[in-house]
Amino acid sequence: MPRRRTSSSSSSSTAPSAAPAAPRNRTPQPVRVRRRSFGDFVKAFLAFVVLLALVVGVPLALAVTVGWPLPNGAPGLDWLQREITVQTFLHILTVIVWLAWAQFAACVLVEVKAALSGVGVPGRVPGSGPSQLLARQLVAALLLVGATAASLTPGLSQLGQSLEGNQKPAVAAAQQTPGLFAQQQEQAASTANALAEQAGQAGQAAARADGGASAANGDTKYYRIQPPEGRHHDSLWEVADRHLGDGRRYKEIFELNKDRVQPDGSKLSEASLIRPGWIMEMPGDARGGELVEMPDEAPNVSEQVQQQISDYARTGGDHAQGGGGAQGGGDAHVSLPEQRPAPTPATPVTPATPAPGPATGGQHATPAAEESGRSFGLPEALLAAPLLAAGLLGALGRRRRQALWHSALGAVGGRRGMEPPTPTGDAQDVQDALLVGADPDGVRLLDRSLRGLAASLAAESRALPVVYAAWMGGNGDLHLQLAQPAGKPPTPWQVGQDQTFWMLARADAERYEDAETAAPYPGLVSLGIMDDSRLLLNLEAVPGLVSLSGAEADRAAVFASVAAELATNGWSDRMTITLVGFGDDLTPLAPNRIRHLDGFEDLFETMSAETRQRRGALGAAGHDSVLTGRTGPAQHTRWAPHLVLLAAQPSDEDALRLAELAADAGRLGIGYLVGTEGADLPGAAWEMEITGGGKLLAPLLGLELEAQLLPAAQQRAVVELFTDADPERGPGGPANTPPFLVDISEQGRPAVYARLVGSYEIIGLDAPDGDRSAQLHEALALLLLHREGVHPRVLASALWPRGVTEDVRDALLERLRAWLGTDPDGTPRLGTDATGRLTLAKSVVSDLDVLRSLYYEATQGRGVDSRQVRGRLLTDALVLVRGPLLADRPEGRYRWLTHEIIDAQLPLLVADTGLALSEFHLERGRAEKAIEALNAALRTAPADERLWHELLRATHATEDADRLRALAADLIGRSGARGLPPRTEALLDELLPTWRDGVAAAG
C-alpha cells in the first residue's frame, strides 16, 4: 500500500510567503432565489396561450377549415391519373401539418412528463430538435408560476424554517471548497491543511482497532506451532480461532512475531509460512489450556521447549516497543492525510488479505494466494471493490429472476424459465470475482446508516448537512465529511475529530433497522482505498466540476467503475446517469438509470434545460437545495440526483460552457465528472489524476488512493453477464437443457445421493466428524447446486464470508475429498477441471438433479411420444418435492444462497411439473388427480398464480359448486387488502359468476 504524501512543514506556515497564483478556475457563484415578478406571470400566460393554440387550436382549425385530407377509400389506378388541383396541394399540406402537430404534441407530453417527475433528462423525440426545444421553453416558462411547479414541492414541513438560514450554508460551503477561488489561495491552503489534519488518520484508526485487543491487560503468553496431524497443518488463522475466539485476529499474532528469530534460526515473514516448533507470542487475552504457556511456567513441556520460549521472549522487547508506537493513544478517526508522517498500518490492504471489517475490499480473499503472487485466474480489480461487486451481483440476481418469470409466463417464446445461461470464459471469471469480492453486509450497513441519519434529522426538523465524502474504515466505522459544521449529530452518531466530521461506530450501525425514508446521499461512489479506509465521494454535492486527468485507458477504467457502481449500488433510490464519450455501452447494467448521449451539443441542450427546470422548481418549493427536499412528505418521488460522466476530452470552449453550467450544480443535485488529458480544467472544484500504476491522486486534498478500477476486459465481461440475463433476448436464447442430466433408470443408481429439496439428508456416506460436519455438508451443497464447477476462492468466500487463509481452505478441501471418497475405478469423486474449478463426479447426485432430469425427459425426451411415460415421470418428479430447499439449514450458515437464484428456480420447476401433471390428468377426465397434483405443487410454490388458475379449472371440472365457492373464498382470504389479481377475477367471473355476491355478503 503506497504511503500518503507528507510535507515537512504545514501549508499554513508556507502560505503567507507564497506568491499568489494566477486565477485559473472559474468561480461558481451561488444562485440567489429571486421572487417571481410580473414579467414572469406575463411570460407564463403567453406560454400558456401559445401552447393552447398549438396543441388545441391547430387541430381544431384543420378540422373546421380542411376536414379529412386523406381519401375515403382505397385509391385505384385512375386516382394517379387525375389532374393535380389546388385542393390536392392543400390536402398534402394538411397531412404535413398534421404530422408536424403530432410531433410537437409528443414533444410537449415528453417535456411535461419530465417536469412532473422532477428528475432526469427528458426523452428525445426522433427528428424533433427545434420542435422539442420550443416545447421545452414553453413548458419551462409555464412552470415559473404555474400549478405544475407547485406540484413539485416536497418537504412541506420545512417551509416554516428560515429560507435565509437555509441559504447561508450552501454559500459558505461553496466558499470553503478548496481550489475554487484564485483570490482565496490562502484560505484554500488553510482548508487543505484542515482536511489534511482531518482525514489522514485512517490507517491509525484501523491499526488501533486491530491492535487494541493485542494490548489487552494480561501477562504475555506463548504458543508453540504444532506438528501436522495427517493432512492437517497448523495455521495462524486456526491458532487465532482457538485461542482468541476469532480467526481474523491472526494479523495480531503475525505483527507480534514478524521478523523475530525463531529457535531454528529463521524468521516469520509471511503469515502463511509457519513451521512446526516455532514460538508465537500471543496477545494478552489469549485463552485455551496447555497450548498457551507462560515462559517461566510451562510444566507440560520439556525443559528444552521452556528454554526456547524464554529465549524467544527476550527477543521481543525492542519489537514490542516499536510496535507499540503504531498503536499509540488517541481516538480513532477516519480522515484525510495528515501533514506529519503517518504510522505504518498493521497489514497492507491487498485483494487477497482478509480485512478486519466488511468495507475494505479484501474480506473474502486468501492471503497466501496474494503473498505467493498468484491470482487464481480471477480479476483482482473486482476482488478489491466490495461495494461495486455487491451492487453488480445484486442487480444481476434481480435481472436473472426477472428473466425466469418472463420466460415461465410465456413472455419470451422458445425459452423456459428454469435454466439461465451458464457463463463461460471471462464472464465466468468475472462472476466468480463478484461472488468472492462482494460485501453485501457493508452495503446494507451503509444504506441503513445513511437512511437512519436522515430519519433522525427529519424527526428533529433539521435539514440534511452537505456531505462531501464518506470514509468506511477497516474496523467498519463510517465517517461523514461535512462541508461545514452542522451542530451536534443525532444519536448514535458522534462528532469526529472536529465539527466537520460525524462518526458512526459499526456496533451502532448494526442496530439500525430499515427506515422508511429516501436515500439522503445517493451520489456517493467509491473511488479507492487509503490506509485501509475506503473513500466514497459525493459527486452531486461538489460545487463545480470534478476533473480526472491521466492516460485515456486509465481514465476509462475509473469512469467505468464509477458508472457501474452508481447504476447498481444499494444506497440509492433513483437517479439518472448520463454518459458522454463512453466507448462501450453500459446501458444493460441499468436501463432505467443509464443513458448515453452522442456529444457535447446534446449534453448542453439537455442539461441546460434541466438546470433551469431544477432551479425554478427549487425556487417554487422554497428550498435552498435538493437536500432540504429529501426529508419532506414527497421525499420518495422528488429530488433524485443526476450525475454526468464525460469521458471525452472537452475543447476549451466546451470546458468554459461546462464550468458555467456546473457553477450552481451542487445545490441542484447535479454532479459532473470530466476526463481531461491535462491538469487544467476551468471551473474544476476538485482535480484528480489517475496514474499508470493505479494511484488516484488529489494533491490539494492530500489524497493518494489505490484507485478502484473496472478495466475494459472486465467491463465487457460484466456487460455480457447482464446481456445474457436479459429477459427480452427472444427465442434465440439458450434452450432449457439442465446443466447436468442423470440416468434415471434402475442402472443409474448413484453412489452418493443428497436430498436438498426439503430437509438435508445424505445417503451413501458415513457421517463426518462432528466438528467438521456442518462445513462439509455446506460445501457439498454448494457443489451440488453448481455442477458446472466452483472456483476454490468462491467456495472459501461462501464458507468463510469474512476471509480465510489458503492453508485452512486447502485443509477443508482435503477433508471433503477424503469424505466423498473414490469411485470403484479409483477416480476421486471431488475433482478439478481444466480451469481449476472444483467439480463432482457423476456418481454424486442430488434430488434436485433427478427432479430436473425427470421433468426434462417428460416434456422434451421420452415423454413427448408416450403419454404413459410422461405421466409416470411427472408423478415421480412431484414425489421428490418435500418442501423448500435446505429447509432445516442451521442459522448463520448458507448465507451464500442470497446470491443464488435457486430460490426462484425451484418453485418455478415445481409449478411447471404440477401444471404438466394436472394437464395430463385432465386430458383423461381425472379432475381429482389433477387437484392432488396442483395442491402438492402449491406447497412449494404457493405464490404462483398459474397453479391457482389451474386449481380453479380443475375444481370447476368436478361440477361441485360448493367446493368451487370454498376455493374462491380461500383465494380471497389469501389476497388480503390487495385484492385478487385481475386475471384471477376474470377467471372467477367465467367459472363462478356469483362469487362477488359472496364477497359482498361477507363484507
Side-chain angles (χ1 to χ4, degrees):
M1 179 77 187
R3 302 308 308 148
R4 302 170 296 195
R5 297 184 175 182
T6 61
S7 60
S8 58
S9 61
S10 67
S11 299
S12 59
S13 61
T14 59
S17 60
R24 182 180 63 185
N25 296 333
R26 178 181 294 270
T27 301
Q29 297 296 335
V31 174
R32 189 169 55 87
V33 180
R34 66 181 182 88
R35 298 183 179 275
R36 291 167 289 183
S37 64
F38 177 74
D40 293 334
F41 285 95
V42 173
K43 290 179 182 179
F45 176 74
L46 292 177
F48 174 75
V49 172
V50 174
L51 282 174
L52 187 65
L54 293 177
V55 176
V56 180
V58 170
L60 289 178
L62 291 175
V64 172
T65 59
V66 181
W68 182 251
L70 300 177
N72 294 323
L77 292 177
D78 60 335
W79 181 79
L80 298 176
Q81 300 173 357
R82 293 180 185 177
E83 181 182 359
I84 299 177
T85 64
V86 175
Q87 193 65 26
T88 303
F89 275 112
L90 289 176
H91 284 179
I92 294 174
L93 290 174
T94 303
V95 172
I96 295 174
V97 174
W98 271 111
L99 293 176
W101 172 86
Q103 186 186 59
F104 180 77
C107 294
V108 172
L109 291 177
V110 168
E111 296 298 327
V112 171
K113 179 181 180 296
L116 292 177
S117 65
V119 64
V121 178
R124 300 189 65 188
V125 179
S128 60
S131 298
Q132 188 163 4
L133 181 58
L134 175 61
R136 185 172 301 156
Q137 292 173 345
L138 292 174
V139 172
L142 184 60
L143 286 179
L144 285 175
V145 295
T148 306
S151 69
L152 297 174
T153 307
L156 296 178
S157 62
Q158 303 295 324
L159 291 179
Q161 300 182 11
S162 169
L163 179 60
E164 180 182 357
N166 289 336
Q167 290 173 343
K168 289 179 180 179
V171 178
Q175 293 174 347
Q176 291 177 5
T177 304
L180 286 180
F181 299 93
Q183 65 271 26
Q184 294 179 343
Q185 289 297 312
E186 182 175 349
Q187 181 180 354
S190 62
T191 304
N193 282 338
L195 294 174
E197 283 188 14
Q198 290 166 359
Q201 300 168 0
Q204 297 181 52
R208 283 193 295 269
D210 289 341
S214 302
N217 293 331
D219 296 328
T220 306
K221 300 180 181 180
Y222 295 85
Y223 174 84
R224 189 168 183 266
I225 302 300
Q226 300 300 301
E229 296 180 6
R231 295 180 180 268
H232 177 70
H233 294 262
D234 216 348
S235 69
L236 291 187
W237 177 282
E238 292 193 343
V239 172
D241 187 62
R242 288 196 302 268
H243 302 297
L244 300 177
D246 189 347
R248 290 170 296 167
R249 294 182 61 185
Y250 78 94
K251 291 189 294 183
E252 299 177 30
I253 307 176
F254 175 76
E255 286 301 315
L256 286 172
N257 299 274
K258 182 180 179 182
D259 296 330
R260 294 172 65 179
V261 179
Q262 294 290 335
D264 60 357
S266 57
K267 296 180 180 181
L268 173 66
S269 59
E270 295 182 3
S272 61
L273 300 180
I274 59 176
R275 300 177 184 175
W278 279 9
I279 309 298
M280 294 290 118
E281 181 179 345
M282 300 291 289
D285 60 341
R287 299 291 183 271
E290 62 184 14
L291 295 181
V292 180
E293 303 289 351
M294 299 292 295
D296 299 326
E297 300 176 5
N300 297 323
V301 297
S302 64
E303 292 183 2
Q304 179 183 3
V305 173
Q306 290 186 35
Q307 185 62 42
Q308 290 177 353
I309 295 176
S310 298
D311 294 341
Y312 187 79
R314 285 193 290 271
T315 69
D318 295 339
H319 182 275
Q321 185 177 358
Q327 300 174 8
D331 295 334
H333 300 299
V334 176
S335 50
L336 293 171
E338 294 181 312
Q339 297 296 326
R340 57 182 181 274
T344 302
T347 303
V349 175
T350 65
T353 302
T360 59
Q363 68 275 22
H364 301 297
T366 50
E370 185 69 15
E371 290 163 359
S372 60
R374 289 176 285 158
S375 64
F376 292 95
L378 296 184
E380 297 292 346
L382 286 172
L383 294 177
L387 304 184
L388 169 61
L392 288 172
L393 196 60
L396 182 62
R398 292 189 294 272
R399 182 70 56 82
R400 286 174 172 172
R401 287 181 174 85
Q402 183 183 11
L404 290 177
W405 282 106
H406 272 239
S407 54
L409 297 175
V412 178
R415 181 181 174 193
R416 295 298 298 160
M418 285 83 71
E419 308 302 336
T422 300
T424 58
D426 290 343
Q428 187 178 19
D429 290 339
V430 163
Q431 177 175 274
D432 287 342
L434 295 178
L435 290 168
V436 174
D439 180 19
D441 287 341
V443 173
R444 176 180 55 84
L445 287 177
L446 176 62
D447 182 45
R448 287 184 174 180
S449 300
L450 296 178
R451 293 181 193 268
L453 173 63
S456 299
L457 290 172
E460 299 176 7
S461 298
R462 295 171 60 186
L464 289 167
V466 177
V467 170
Y468 281 158
W471 291 85
M472 297 187 69
N475 55 3
D477 293 348
L478 175 62
H479 297 247
L480 298 183
Q481 182 178 344
L482 312 184
Q484 64 174 29
K488 182 180 178 181
T491 306
W493 290 78
Q494 303 173 16
V495 175
Q497 63 266 35
D498 61 35
Q499 295 296 320
T500 61
F501 271 77
W502 285 2
M503 189 272 289
L504 180 67
R506 178 183 176 89
D508 294 327
E510 290 176 341
R511 289 194 286 268
Y512 267 123
E513 301 291 340
D514 292 332
E516 290 296 328
T517 187
Y521 304 111
L524 286 169
V525 63
S526 304
L527 291 184
I529 294 178
M530 185 178 73
D531 291 340
D532 208 17
S533 291
R534 183 169 301 277
L535 169 67
L536 291 90
L537 181 67
N538 190 6
L539 284 179
E540 68 165 336
V542 179
L545 304 175
V546 179
S547 69
L548 176 67
S549 61
E552 183 177 359
D554 298 325
R555 297 200 318 263
V558 174
F559 274 102
S561 170
V562 170
E565 185 170 296
L566 288 174
T568 60
N569 69 42
W571 55 88
S572 301
D573 294 323
R574 296 192 312 141
M575 67 168 58
T576 300
I577 306 166
T578 296
L579 307 180
V580 181
F582 276 67
D584 296 325
D585 187 9
L586 296 176
T587 305
L589 302 185
N592 296 329
R593 286 191 177 186
I594 295 179
R595 68 179 65 197
H596 285 255
L597 293 181
D598 297 332
F600 284 95
E601 288 304 321
D602 292 337
L603 175 68
F604 291 135
E605 178 183 348
T606 54
M607 295 311 300
S608 296
E610 178 162 353
T611 299
R612 290 193 301 268
Q613 174 188 323
R614 289 199 174 211
R615 194 176 292 159
L618 279 176
H623 293 303
D624 176 65
S625 71
V626 295
L627 290 178
T628 59
R630 287 182 183 156
T631 55
Q635 55 184 307
H636 291 284
T637 56
R638 301 290 184 262
W639 317 114
H642 188 157
L643 304 174
V644 181
L645 308 181
L646 297 95
Q649 167 74 32
S651 65
D652 293 341
E653 181 182 356
D654 290 336
L656 290 173
R657 295 171 65 186
L658 272 176
E660 184 176 357
L661 191 62
D664 195 32
R667 74 183 192 92
L668 301 178
I670 303 175
Y672 294 87
L673 178 61
V674 185
T676 62
E677 295 178 359
D680 295 336
L681 181 69
W686 292 346
E687 296 176 345
M688 299 186 296
E689 176 189 359
I690 179 67
T691 69
K695 304 294 190 299
L696 191 65
L697 309 177
L700 183 59
L701 301 178
L703 291 177
E704 182 176 340
L705 306 172
E706 286 287 347
Q708 179 172 295
L709 306 172
L710 186 60
Q714 298 174 30
Q715 177 185 342
R716 289 191 293 269
V718 167
V719 172
E720 180 183 341
L721 287 174
F722 279 81
T723 303
D724 289 344
D726 188 355
E728 304 298 334
R729 290 182 67 219
N736 176 36
T737 302
F740 178 69
L741 290 172
V742 301
D743 184 0
I744 56 177
S745 65
E746 188 64 28
Q747 292 74 25
R749 185 179 299 275
V752 178
Y753 182 68
R755 305 177 73 180
L756 305 179
V757 185
S759 58
Y760 192 1
E761 301 174 15
I762 298 179
I763 301 172
L765 290 177
D766 294 333
D769 178 68
D771 295 337
R772 309 291 184 183
S773 177
Q775 276 188 339
L776 292 175
H777 278 74
E778 186 174 358
L780 180 57
L782 177 62
L783 291 167
L784 285 168
L785 292 177
H786 291 277
R787 302 303 303 228
E788 72 278 8
V790 177
H791 198 286
R793 297 185 75 174
V794 174
L795 179 67
S797 68
L799 299 181
W800 292 281
R802 293 188 178 274
V804 68
T805 56
E806 186 184 33
D807 52 350
V808 175
R809 181 201 65 198
D810 291 344
L812 173 77
L813 293 180
E814 289 301 322
R815 285 192 290 269
L816 181 61
R817 188 173 283 110
W819 180 45
L820 292 175
T822 59
D823 286 333
D825 60 357
T827 304
R829 291 173 182 152
L830 178 62
T832 305
D833 65 9
T835 65
R837 289 174 170 82
L838 303 169
T839 58
L840 292 174
K842 293 184 177 180
S843 58
V844 183
V845 172
S846 73
D847 54 355
L848 186 58
D849 298 326
V850 178
L851 176 59
R852 286 170 169 156
S853 301
L854 288 170
Y855 178 78
Y856 178 78
E857 282 294 324
T859 56
Q860 301 181 49
R862 292 177 294 150
V864 174
D865 300 322
S866 172
R867 291 192 74 262
Q868 183 178 1
V869 172
R870 182 167 72 253
R872 177 175 56 82
L873 292 174
L874 291 173
T875 302
D876 291 345
L878 211 55
V879 169
L880 292 175
V881 181
R882 301 174 297 119
L885 186 77
L886 299 169
D888 57 352
R889 56 180 179 266
E891 185 178 357
R893 289 199 172 273
Y894 298 87
R895 297 178 62 183
W896 47 269
L897 280 173
T898 58
H899 299 315
E900 305 283 340
I901 60 170
I902 185 63
D903 60 334
Q905 288 177 280
L906 180 59
L908 285 175
L909 176 59
V910 173
D912 282 352
T913 304
L915 291 170
L917 186 57
S918 172
E919 180 183 3
F920 170 80
H921 287 307
L922 287 176
E923 288 175 355
R924 293 295 183 89
R926 299 194 290 259
E928 293 295 339
K929 288 287 186 180
I931 293 173
E932 181 181 347
L934 293 169
N935 282 325
L938 279 169
R939 285 193 287 271
T940 300
D944 198 311
E945 188 179 356
R946 300 172 301 162
L947 291 174
W948 289 105
H949 289 176
E950 290 305 308
L951 185 59
L952 286 171
R953 293 188 179 98
T955 305
H956 180 264
T958 64
E959 299 182 353
D960 188 341
D962 292 337
R963 189 175 181 182
L964 184 59
R965 277 192 290 271
L967 178 59
D970 184 27
L971 264 177
I972 295 169
R974 290 172 179 268
S975 63
R978 295 176 299 175
L980 293 174
R983 286 183 293 187
T984 305
E985 287 190 358
L987 182 60
L988 281 174
D989 288 336
E990 176 187 349
L991 302 180
L992 188 64
T994 61
W995 72 276
R996 297 181 188 274
D997 298 336
V999 174

